[in-house]
């Protein structure tokens, strides 16, 4: 049994991909018992089907716990249920950005905690419809010392669902690489309210991207993430923006739906890191503040 904390888009994608009966959602503490969650699943290819996922029962001992809450909800969500599970239960964190993973591992350093970086795309255009909008890859790697010995088992359990999973010993590096791309695309799309490709011609982007990439390069070096020139980072950001030109970023989608964005775990995380290292990050700070203002309206 694989337990999933966070019955949103990504959680439902995992539940749908695992064989029937293999997944259960973890309810919030003190949530009254409810009927199983039922939804329509529209796969990337093929016909729609109905998925029914039960709630985990008291005393169930999952082989794996997937945490698919938004970054800002993650610590609280885990803290509310973790005492139900033995110290040896492996936990995989699926959050975008950085910062939430560090908070969780700092709080439970002796638990086997892994992190995932995924390029799968899922969304819920209607409450009871889950669309697998884009297929991709998922990398999983250990965040705490005790997690190393659970990696292969976790990869095997999740691969059985048919999604493409890779073990990744240097998962922090991979999370950083995704963070760079998210930091260089998402806030612009949210502020400008445009698809990814359209940011490139905007004056906001053109006036600030050099400064942003300088900050990203300095922060990577200070964090031991290697040397990458600002120009190389800009090239990578723009390649992805062009490849995904018509896509709406999750940050823009959150703003449009009036939901809290993950800006505090993307540019906000980088601005906080800058303070720790004594590196000035005016562009990350400006982008963070502008997106925060959008969500508060
Ligand atoms: N969707 C994707 O394609 C995708 C791809 C890559 C990475 N990610 C990352 O994966 C994470 C989840 O994304 P998502 O798109 O699945 O978000 P989402 O659709 O908002 O799902 C999050 C779910 O967590 C639930 N939740 C919040 N607090 C909880 C708690 N204390 N206990 C139990 N459940 C709780 C929410 O319930 P309520 O709605 O009731 O609050 C919601 O159903 C994010 O960090 C995102 O960046 C997503």
């Amino acid at each position: 049994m694989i337990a999933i904390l966070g019955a949103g888009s990504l959680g439902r994608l995992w539940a749908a991909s695992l064989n029937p009966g293999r997944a259960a959602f973890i309810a919030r503490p003190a949530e009254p018992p409810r009927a199983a969650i039922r939804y329509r699943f529209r796969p990337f290819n093929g016909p729609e089907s109905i998925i029914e996922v039960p709630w985990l029962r008291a005393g169930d001992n999952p082989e794996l716990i997937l945490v698919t809450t938004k970054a800002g909800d993650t610590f609280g969500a885990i803290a509310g249920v973790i005492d139900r599970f033995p110290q040896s239960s492996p936990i995989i964190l699926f959050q975008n950005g950085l910062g939430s993973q560090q908070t969780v591992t700092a709080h439970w350093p002796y638990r086997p905690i892994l992190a995932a970086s995924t390029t799968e795309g899922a969304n819920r255009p209607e409450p009871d419809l889950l669309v697998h909008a884009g297929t991709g890859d998922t990398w999983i790697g250990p965040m705490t010392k005790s997690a190393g010995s659970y990696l292969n088992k976790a990869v095997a359990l999740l691969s059985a669902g048919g999604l493409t999973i890779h073990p990744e010993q240097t998962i922090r590096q991979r999370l950083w690489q995704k963070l760079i791309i998210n930091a260089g695309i998402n806030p612009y799309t949210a502020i400008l309210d445009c698809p990814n490709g359209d940011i490139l011609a905007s004056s906001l982007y053109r006036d600030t991207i050099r400064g942003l990439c300088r900050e990203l390069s300095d922060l990577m070096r200070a964090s031991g993430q290697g040397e990458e020139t600002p120009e190389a980072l800009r090239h990578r950001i723009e390649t992805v923006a062009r490849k995904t030109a018509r896509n709406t970023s999750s940050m823009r989608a959150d703003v449009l739906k009036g939901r809290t964005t993950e800006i505090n775990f993307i540019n906000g995380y980088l601005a906080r890191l800058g303070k720790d290292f004594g590196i000035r990050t005016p562009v990350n700070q400006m982008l963070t503040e502008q997106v925060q203002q959008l969500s508060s309206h």
Side-chain angles (χ1 to χ4, degrees):
M1 168 72 66
I2 296 179
I4 303 176
L5 180 61
S9 301
L10 198 60
R12 288 175 189 228
L13 175 66
W14 279 106
S17 82
L18 295 164
N19 292 335
R22 292 285 290 134
F25 286 123
I26 305 174
R28 288 173 166 85
E31 211 168 20
R34 282 186 284 156
I37 289 192
R38 262 170 78 89
Y39 53 96
R40 286 181 292 139
F41 173 54
R42 187 176 298 163
F44 190 69
N45 286 313
E48 262 183 37
S49 58
I50 298 287
I51 303 290
E52 193 164 296
V53 185
W55 294 97
L56 199 72
R57 290 166 310 185
D60 281 349
N61 189 6
E63 296 163 275
L64 207 54
I65 300 169
L66 312 186
V67 182
T68 52
T69 46
K70 292 273 200 185
D73 295 325
T74 295
F75 177 75
I78 297 176
V81 298
I82 198 163
D83 289 343
R84 289 173 55 184
F85 304 110
Q87 187 76 16
S88 57
S89 301
I91 297 172
I92 308 185
L93 307 174
F94 276 85
Q95 288 63 43
N96 247 346
L98 278 173
S100 66
Q101 301 88 344
Q102 284 84 346
T103 305
V104 171
T105 54
H107 208 83
W108 295 287
Y110 302 113
R111 284 200 174 250
I113 298 177
L114 303 101
S117 178
T118 183
T119 58
E120 298 289 352
N123 57 59
R124 284 168 74 195
E126 298 162 29
D128 73 340
L129 173 63
L130 188 272
V131 178
H132 189 188
T135 54
D137 294 270
T138 301
W139 292 266
I140 296 174
M143 292 293 287
T144 56
K145 207 167 164 202
S146 62
S149 54
Y150 292 87
L151 179 57
N152 289 339
K153 186 178 169 203
V155 169
L157 283 170
L158 292 182
S159 299
L163 299 182
T164 309
I165 324 284
H166 312 277
E168 171 64 280
Q169 289 298 342
T170 54
I171 190 69
R172 278 184 185 78
Q173 254 175 32
R174 201 169 275 281
L175 292 169
W176 256 97
Q177 296 300 327
K178 192 167 182 202
L179 178 71
I180 296 291
I181 303 298
N182 285 158
I185 295 179
N186 293 17
Y188 293 104
T189 64
I191 297 164
L192 298 164
D193 189 16
C194 68
N196 294 359
D198 290 7
I199 64 171
L200 300 174
S202 74
S203 54
L204 174 68
Y205 179 85
R206 290 157 79 104
D207 291 348
T208 55
I209 189 64
R210 272 180 75 154
L212 179 69
C213 289
R214 160 61 54 208
E215 293 173 21
L216 297 177
S217 173
D218 290 347
L219 290 167
M220 282 185 73
R221 186 181 317 107
S223 309
Q225 292 299 322
E227 295 280 339
E228 285 220 56
T229 64
E231 293 71 28
L233 294 177
R234 180 173 179 170
H235 179 71
R236 257 192 308 128
I237 288 167
E238 295 187 353
T239 303
V240 175
R242 285 195 189 92
K243 264 196 193 156
T244 60
R246 299 317 311 154
N247 291 9
T248 282
S249 76
S250 55
M251 196 173 285
R252 179 184 180 214
D254 283 340
V255 169
L256 289 173
K257 290 195 171 157
R259 293 188 304 220
T260 308
T261 70
E262 294 190 304
I263 190 73
N264 289 342
F265 301 90
I266 300 178
N267 304 82
Y269 171 79
L270 292 163
R272 288 195 300 280
L273 203 59
K275 284 203 181 101
D276 293 347
F277 286 126
I279 294 171
R280 290 190 66 250
T281 58
V283 183
N284 276 296
Q285 218 137 7
M286 177 275 292
L287 293 170
T288 303
E289 283 163 17
Q290 288 211 18
V291 174
Q292 281 169 342
Q293 278 172 18
L294 288 178
S295 329
S296 68
H297 287 152

